[in-house]
Amino acid sequence: MFAGIGGICIGFKQASAELVWANELDRYACATYRHNLGSDFLIEGDIRQVHLDAIPTFDILTAGFPCQSFSVMGNQQGFADPRGTMYYEILRVIDKVKPEIVFLENVKNLVQHDNGRTFITIYNTLAERGYGVKYSVQGAHTHANIPQYRDRIFIAAFLDHEKLENFSFPDEVPLTRKINDTISRNATADEKFYYRPPNRYYEALNARMTDENAIYRIDDSGVAKRAWEICPTLKANMGTYHDRVPLIRDAYGIRKLTPEDCLALQGFPKWYNFTDIPQKERYKQLGNTVCVPVVMRIARRILYIMK
């Protein structure tokens, strides 16, 4: 559910799970999903309009349900936000299918939101349905050797409590990869990604971006003074505000990360690419997706326990 461009699906597929059903509302995300993962099982449309009889039986339900209402970057309205109420659509599908395992992903702030009451609601509604729950905050740079600050909460709920007891989330791994190990500064990008005069930010960027191993960004106050050794969190607003895409200095000038750079920083496989959709939609999708190797490591443990 809320499949986006298929980050969670790919993580589970890499762990040898079979995909049998997926749902996504955004038409551009569906186009990207179909382009890479096929169209046989993807249902495009509002989950509230999907009839339960059209949903097949499966063992694991995964859902990266909308996180904007819980994020520290948003208004934090939680279940008062229509996007927050999408969690109850997950419960509707659980009640119909009764999957053995439920796997959920959301922003790290979900645990603290509304003084913990939001997370307690999620925990209790799963427990009421017989599920035992474990959760962990896992980051791209702490659990996947990907140089991006991207901490997310992952929830694994098992109907079989013995399997739950035998399940544990992956431990941290050392971060050995740097920005330049992930993206190339030696190959020229399309000119549209470069900052040149008379761009209003060019002079400040040119003065501050002196480290060719670091990554930079523009924030609410203008050009940030801080240089990042690890990519700051890729956000969905990259698609709304084009200057919010992180920046690097390469051999040809100052430029934004390309969508392909962002795919690498989310750990997507090299075969994954975009179909003909607007650039802003590509950036939006990349800010809304997950770090694939983080999901894959958890999925491997889930499937091992199931077997």
Side-chain angles (χ1 to χ4, degrees):
M1 300 177 67
F2 316 106
I5 61 173
I8 291 178
C9 292
I10 292 173
F12 271 82
K13 190 177 178 69
Q14 289 176 339
S16 299
E18 178 188 358
L19 308 179
V20 296
W21 177 79
N23 171 249
E24 170 56 42
L25 173 64
D26 186 279
R27 66 187 179 98
Y28 290 114
C30 286
T32 303
Y33 188 106
R34 291 192 187 98
H35 179 66
N36 289 280
L37 292 169
S39 58
D40 293 345
F41 48 82
L42 176 67
I43 305 300
E44 179 177 341
D46 190 332
I47 186 60
R48 293 169 294 185
Q49 306 303 319
V50 175
H51 199 282
L52 290 175
D53 290 340
I55 301 176
T57 300
F58 44 74
D59 303 296
I60 306 171
L61 174 64
T62 70
F65 58 108
C67 63
Q68 294 90 340
S69 55
F70 306 112
S71 172
V72 292
M73 300 303 296
N75 294 323
Q76 300 193 55
Q77 292 182 313
F79 292 136
D81 185 322
R83 295 169 296 186
T85 62
M86 288 298 100
Y87 171 72
Y88 294 103
E89 293 301 311
I90 297 174
L91 296 180
R92 185 170 73 98
V93 175
I94 290 174
D95 290 340
K96 168 64 177 179
V97 179
K98 296 180 174 59
E100 182 178 342
I101 294 168
V102 176
F103 175 83
L104 306 177
E105 176 269 344
N106 211 282
V107 291
K108 176 182 178 180
N109 190 59
L110 183 69
V111 178
Q112 287 84 30
H113 181 266
D114 195 17
N115 293 318
R117 286 187 284 269
T118 297
F119 184 77
I120 290 171
T121 297
I122 292 171
Y123 189 101
N124 287 344
T125 51
L126 290 170
E128 289 165 0
R129 288 161 172 79
Y131 290 90
V133 177
K134 287 185 178 180
Y135 64 94
S136 176
V137 173
Q138 308 246 309
H141 70 297
T142 53
H143 292 82
N145 196 20
I146 297 288
Q148 182 200 169
Y149 288 113
R150 192 176 195 85
D151 291 333
R152 291 293 185 265
I153 186 169
F154 295 93
I155 301 170
F158 290 70
L159 276 179
D160 187 325
H161 287 233
E162 183 177 348
K163 289 182 178 178
L164 174 72
E165 288 300 314
N166 290 326
F167 169 79
S168 62
F169 283 93
D171 294 330
E172 292 188 11
V173 295
L175 179 64
T176 61
R177 293 178 61 82
K178 299 181 180 180
I179 296 296
N180 292 352
D181 298 319
T182 309
I183 59 179
S184 174
R185 298 182 194 246
N186 296 318
T188 183
D190 191 290
E191 182 61 25
K192 65 187 175 185
F193 296 109
Y194 286 90
Y195 283 72
R196 311 284 193 198
N199 182 282
R200 62 179 176 142
Y201 292 116
Y202 177 76
E203 294 299 331
L205 290 171
N206 193 44
R208 293 181 187 174
M209 292 181 62
T210 57
D211 188 343
E212 295 184 357
N213 296 309
I215 194 164
Y216 296 78
R217 70 175 181 179
I218 297 169
D219 58 25
D220 291 340
S221 61
V223 179
K225 295 181 179 179
R226 175 182 177 185
W228 299 67
E229 294 182 359
I230 298 174
C231 183
T233 303
L234 298 174
K235 301 174 184 175
N237 70 359
M238 295 188 302
T240 306
Y241 307 101
H242 63 90
D243 286 325
R244 297 310 169 93
V245 182
L247 309 167
I248 61 169
R249 183 186 286 275
D250 70 10
Y252 304 92
I254 295 168
R255 69 167 175 86
K256 304 172 188 176
L257 297 181
T258 66
E260 290 68 32
D261 293 332
C262 295
L263 281 171
L265 286 163
Q266 292 285 34
F268 274 71
K270 293 185 182 300
W271 52 260
Y272 195 98
N273 56 51
F274 288 100
T275 185
D276 185 20
I277 63 171
Q279 199 78 279
K280 66 178 183 178
E281 296 296 333
R282 300 182 188 196
Y283 282 121
K284 174 184 173 183
Q285 292 169 10
L286 288 160
N288 274 331
T289 194
V290 297
C291 181
V292 173
V294 175
V295 174
M296 181 269 292
R297 293 184 71 218
I298 301 171
R300 281 182 174 174
R301 292 199 170 204
I302 289 174
L303 267 66
Y304 177 80
I305 293 297
M306 288 184 71
K307 293 176 182 178

